[in-house]
mmCIF file of all heavy atoms in Angstrom:
data_model
loop_
_atom_site.group_PDB
_atom_site.id
_atom_site.type_symbol
_atom_site.label_atom_id
_atom_site.label_comp_id
_atom_site.label_asym_id
_atom_site.label_seq_id
_atom_site.Cartn_x
_atom_site.Cartn_y
_atom_site.Cartn_z
ATOM 1 N N ALA G 299 96.270 110.683 70.866
ATOM 2 C CA ALA G 299 96.381 112.104 70.982
ATOM 3 C C ALA G 299 97.457 112.461 72.045
ATOM 4 O O ALA G 299 98.347 113.293 71.820
ATOM 5 C CB ALA G 299 95.182 112.735 71.483
ATOM 6 N N ALA G 300 97.622 111.640 73.158
ATOM 7 C CA ALA G 300 98.536 111.962 74.110
ATOM 8 C C ALA G 300 99.924 111.685 73.678
ATOM 9 O O ALA G 300 100.903 112.434 73.766
ATOM 10 C CB ALA G 300 98.235 111.053 75.541
ATOM 11 N N ILE G 320 90.071 92.187 78.800
ATOM 12 C CA ILE G 320 90.523 93.432 79.578
ATOM 13 C C ILE G 320 90.200 94.582 78.776
ATOM 14 O O ILE G 320 90.602 94.680 77.669
ATOM 15 C CB ILE G 320 91.991 93.289 80.108
ATOM 16 C CG1 ILE G 320 92.194 92.002 80.761
ATOM 17 C CG2 ILE G 320 92.251 94.478 81.002
ATOM 18 C CD1 ILE G 320 91.272 91.747 81.965
ATOM 19 N N ASP G 339 89.729 97.779 74.117
ATOM 20 C CA ASP G 339 90.334 96.738 74.892
ATOM 21 C C ASP G 339 91.774 96.891 74.958
ATOM 22 O O ASP G 339 92.477 97.660 74.317
ATOM 23 C CB ASP G 339 89.997 95.436 74.136
ATOM 24 C CG ASP G 339 90.518 95.358 72.749
ATOM 25 O OD1 ASP G 339 89.971 95.794 71.745
ATOM 26 O OD2 ASP G 339 91.746 94.889 72.643
ATOM 27 N N LYS G 369 96.708 88.593 82.955
ATOM 28 C CA LYS G 369 96.319 88.918 81.620
ATOM 29 C C LYS G 369 97.108 90.060 81.057
ATOM 30 O O LYS G 369 97.417 90.110 79.821
ATOM 31 C CB LYS G 369 94.905 89.028 81.473
ATOM 32 C CG LYS G 369 94.042 87.776 81.873
ATOM 33 C CD LYS G 369 92.546 87.978 81.489
ATOM 34 C CE LYS G 369 91.812 86.653 81.758
ATOM 35 N NZ LYS G 369 90.408 86.846 81.568
ATOM 36 N N LEU G 436 80.479 100.170 112.094
ATOM 37 C CA LEU G 436 80.444 99.021 111.105
ATOM 38 C C LEU G 436 79.213 99.071 110.221
ATOM 39 O O LEU G 436 79.064 98.159 109.332
ATOM 40 C CB LEU G 436 80.538 97.661 111.835
ATOM 41 C CG LEU G 436 81.875 97.589 112.691
ATOM 42 C CD1 LEU G 436 81.870 96.160 113.308
ATOM 43 C CD2 LEU G 436 83.140 97.929 111.951
ATOM 44 N N ASN G 473 81.951 95.149 108.513
ATOM 45 C CA ASN G 473 80.715 94.444 108.234
ATOM 46 C C ASN G 473 79.829 95.183 107.259
ATOM 47 O O ASN G 473 79.886 96.443 107.106
ATOM 48 C CB ASN G 473 79.871 94.363 109.611
ATOM 49 C CG ASN G 473 80.576 93.471 110.578
ATOM 50 O OD1 ASN G 473 81.417 92.626 110.220
ATOM 51 N ND2 ASN G 473 80.185 93.568 111.872
ATOM 52 N N GLY G 520 112.166 104.600 102.654
ATOM 53 C CA GLY G 520 112.688 104.330 101.323
ATOM 54 C C GLY G 520 111.653 104.300 100.247
ATOM 55 O O GLY G 520 111.831 103.627 99.161
ATOM 56 N N TRP G 526 97.883 112.674 93.603
ATOM 57 C CA TRP G 526 96.930 112.947 92.383
ATOM 58 C C TRP G 526 95.997 113.880 92.895
ATOM 59 O O TRP G 526 95.826 114.210 94.047
ATOM 60 C CB TRP G 526 96.297 111.692 91.916
ATOM 61 C CG TRP G 526 95.042 111.214 92.650
ATOM 62 C CD1 TRP G 526 93.850 111.534 92.264
ATOM 63 C CD2 TRP G 526 95.011 110.301 93.879
ATOM 64 N NE1 TRP G 526 92.890 110.780 93.186
ATOM 65 C CE2 TRP G 526 93.615 110.127 94.076
ATOM 66 C CE3 TRP G 526 95.979 109.628 94.544
ATOM 67 C CZ2 TRP G 526 93.241 109.264 95.079
ATOM 68 C CZ3 TRP G 526 95.400 108.776 95.550
ATOM 69 C CH2 TRP G 526 94.127 108.663 95.824
#
Side-chain angles (χ1 to χ4, degrees):
I320 307 302
D339 65 271
K369 293 186 176 183
L436 304 183
N473 292 344
W526 87 89

